[in-house]
Amino acid sequence: MAFPAPSTALLDDLAERLGPQGFTTDPADLAPWLTDWRRRLTGAAAALVSPASAEDAAFVVARAAAEGVAIVPQGGNSSMVGGATPAGPAEGRALLVSMRRMRGIRSVSPADNAVVAEAGVVLADLHDAVEARARRFPLSLAAKGNATVGGLISTNAGGTQVLRFGPMRSLVLGLEAVLPDGSMLHGLAPLRKDNRGYDLKQLLIGGEGTLGLVTAATLRLVPAFEARAVGWIGLKSAEDALSLLRLLEDRLGEAVESFELVPAEGLALVLRHIPDTRAPLAESWTWNVLVETVGGGDIGERLQAELMAAIEQGLAGDATIAASEAQAEALWKLRESLSEAEARDGMAAKHDIAVPVADMPGFMAHASAAVVARFPGVRPIAFGHLGDGNVHFNVRAPAGDDDKAWFKAQAASISRFVHGFVTESGGSMSAEHGIGRFKRADFAALADPVRLAAMRAVKAALDPAGIMNPGALLPLAEEAHGQ
């Protein structure tokens, strides 16, 4: 689908409405926002538009809709799948709509356990704001210093606490959004029960900006905890890690909030490439687990007792528990720096996939063997959120190969193979990063046709002109027919 370039009248109207802080066509101003997070895609846009209010956002969308001009929404530009980069059929003609000026926290209600935050609020700032009211927003991830509320909603982000609290779908109580015709969806009431038919906010959550522009959200909060305990455990197998998770859940209940699985090879990459890191245990173990529990002042003692029992039973090999917040953050740094360490080591074909939790240990082994058999010499590495079945399954070049040349020649074929393998295994080719532009073709080839048809019907109903983030999420017509 071809989209027209914005008319001079449209650009003039936007410039007048938004002022110099909210509108620019200067290539130097646009340049930092036209390349994706992983630096694999660089696009172009007619203008960078930054509304400062929901009313401004509605004006932008209404004027663009009147001319059929494409809109590419962008939050913190931290998409891992190219979902916020203006490229594809609207390249050079789209309006790049940045939500970064909408950074207001409109209200915090401890009584409702809810916060109303605008789309441009950075996750780390949201954490700080609600912490001041003895509450917390129970979603965190490595990109918390860049990721914004609107982006987290649009991609149904997960992070490290999905085990207990679920992804963004479970944490959004209400939404305010601009629909593709410029009309406003007003739905910020913090309702826990609302049975008035279709849940429109759930269409926008995970919609990657293809059905509307999120301007604000009411988010669920939980009480602040008295104390947390962070432990690092060495194990012989991923199966033992799953058994340990179930044991801790049985003994400690909902105190277990995070359970991260890290292979020895992944830890070695972090120790090699990330400054100021050190091995938590004296001996190297095939698998490692980072566990975080929260609760009363005795939570550290309770976790220690359970880990000692697990070691005595032969379920765990060794363990350590952070004795201070600094030590806890140092343990988390080992897990959160894994992707950065991988990138410093060389390019990799990266896959954010999901399988049933019980299948995750076996899947990692079987998938690794299958990839090596199909692409001899490659080096798979699997890690992730064991408690919710989210595997970050990455494949590196054979040792000694030129990784850039290898990536260019092999990455697409490897990704298609991995995505096909996880789909045949009953899993998902996207756990928490979305489809974006990078996974769109594989999604077209592997998705259930009924699912795709239903998604297209929703898109056609809400955005018949197709102006919202064209080229993201939904496959193009020729891809859908395998051409």
Side-chain angles (χ1 to χ4, degrees):
M1 181 183 295
F3 296 89
S7 68
T8 301
L10 170 57
L11 296 178
D12 288 346
D13 285 350
L14 296 179
E16 180 179 358
R17 171 77 184 227
L18 302 175
Q21 289 187 313
F23 178 87
T24 182
T25 57
D26 187 335
D29 293 334
L30 269 71
W33 312 110
L34 295 176
T35 298
D36 76 291
W37 181 261
R38 294 170 64 182
R39 311 199 73 80
R40 288 177 53 192
L41 177 66
T42 296
L48 174 64
V49 180
S50 305
S53 67
E55 293 74 22
D56 282 350
F59 180 85
V60 170
V61 176
R63 285 292 287 112
E67 293 194 8
V69 171
I71 290 173
V72 178
Q74 189 177 94
N77 195 29
S78 56
S79 172
M80 299 293 285
V81 291
T85 302
E91 187 170 0
R93 296 169 177 259
L95 295 175
L96 179 58
V97 180
S98 168
M99 304 306 290
R100 284 178 289 274
R101 289 181 70 202
M102 293 190 63
R103 301 186 67 165
I105 294 179
R106 298 182 187 175
S107 65
V108 180
S109 174
D112 265 324
N113 272 331
V115 57
V116 179
E118 292 183 337
V121 173
V122 174
L123 180 58
D125 294 339
L126 176 63
H127 287 163
D128 291 343
V130 301
E131 183 181 351
R133 303 294 298 275
R135 293 294 185 270
R136 61 191 175 110
F137 179 59
L139 183 145
S140 188
L141 35 75
K144 60 189 175 184
N146 301 95
T148 62
V149 166
L152 294 168
I153 291 170
S154 296
T155 57
N156 185 32
T160 57
Q161 293 164 297
V162 172
L163 170 61
R164 179 175 177 187
F165 297 105
M168 286 297 289
R169 287 194 191 282
S170 303
L171 298 172
V172 177
L173 299 174
L175 276 186
E176 174 189 87
V178 183
L179 298 183
D181 63 355
S183 60
M184 287 291 303
L185 175 65
H186 298 284
L188 289 175
L191 300 177
R192 264 64 176 186
K193 290 184 176 181
D194 183 5
N195 203 12
R196 294 175 289 179
Y198 306 131
D199 191 346
L200 298 181
K201 72 177 183 295
Q202 289 295 344
L203 292 177
L204 295 170
I205 301 170
E208 300 190 36
T210 62
L211 299 178
L213 185 64
V214 173
T215 54
T218 302
L219 304 173
R220 173 189 169 200
L221 301 179
V222 297
F225 51 77
E226 181 180 343
R228 71 167 176 163
V230 178
W232 188 277
I233 306 102
L235 309 104
K236 295 179 181 178
S237 71
E239 288 78 9
D240 285 347
L242 180 57
S243 297
L244 177 62
L245 169 62
R246 296 310 182 213
L247 175 67
L248 293 178
E249 288 178 326
D250 288 344
R251 302 291 178 81
L252 300 177
E254 291 191 345
V256 182
E257 289 202 354
S258 300
F259 200 88
E260 300 292 301
L261 188 61
V262 178
E265 187 175 9
L267 176 59
L269 286 175
V270 172
L271 299 178
R272 185 184 312 151
H273 294 291
I274 305 300
D276 302 319
T277 57
R278 66 181 184 86
L281 304 175
E283 184 180 346
S284 176
W285 293 87
T286 306
W287 289 96
N288 302 271
V289 161
L290 173 68
V291 61
E292 177 165 306
T293 57
V294 303
D298 65 342
I299 190 61
E301 297 174 2
R302 294 173 62 199
L303 177 60
Q304 182 178 27
E306 297 305 334
L307 292 180
M308 289 179 63
I311 292 173
E312 291 173 0
Q313 296 171 26
L315 191 58
D318 195 6
T320 185
I321 296 178
S324 65
E325 277 298 301
Q327 289 184 12
E329 289 303 313
L331 292 179
W332 268 111
K333 183 177 180 179
L334 296 175
R335 166 61 184 90
E336 293 183 336
S337 299
L338 214 163
S339 293
E340 180 184 351
E342 229 184 3
R344 292 186 182 187
D345 198 65
M347 297 187 72
K350 298 190 174 186
H351 312 96
D352 160 51
I353 55 184
V355 295
V357 174
D359 296 344
M360 185 168 164
F363 174 86
M364 292 188 297
H366 296 151
S368 295
V371 169
V372 172
R374 176 66 178 79
F375 303 93
V378 298
R379 297 171 295 163
I381 180 171
F383 60 95
H385 318 299
L386 180 57
D388 57 45
N390 182 183
V391 186
H392 296 292
F393 187 86
N394 302 336
V395 182
R396 293 178 293 153
D401 278 17
D402 181 332
D403 63 309
K404 292 182 180 179
W406 168 85
F407 185 90
K408 183 177 181 180
Q410 296 287 335
S413 296
I414 290 173
S415 292
R416 176 65 64 89
F417 181 84
V418 171
H419 292 153
F421 192 90
V422 71
T423 300
E424 291 172 1
S425 302
S428 168
M429 60 181 286
S430 179
E432 61 181 356
H433 294 160
I435 299 296
R437 289 173 172 79
F438 295 158
K439 293 185 177 184
R440 191 185 65 219
D442 285 0
F443 188 44
L446 298 169
D448 177 357
V450 174
R451 182 189 188 111
L452 276 179
M455 291 175 65
R456 288 187 179 282
V458 172
K459 173 72 169 176
L462 293 181
D463 184 20
I467 66 170
M468 297 302 300
N469 209 8
L473 178 57
L474 284 171
L476 302 177
E478 60 270 23
E479 293 170 334
H481 290 87
Q483 299 177 4

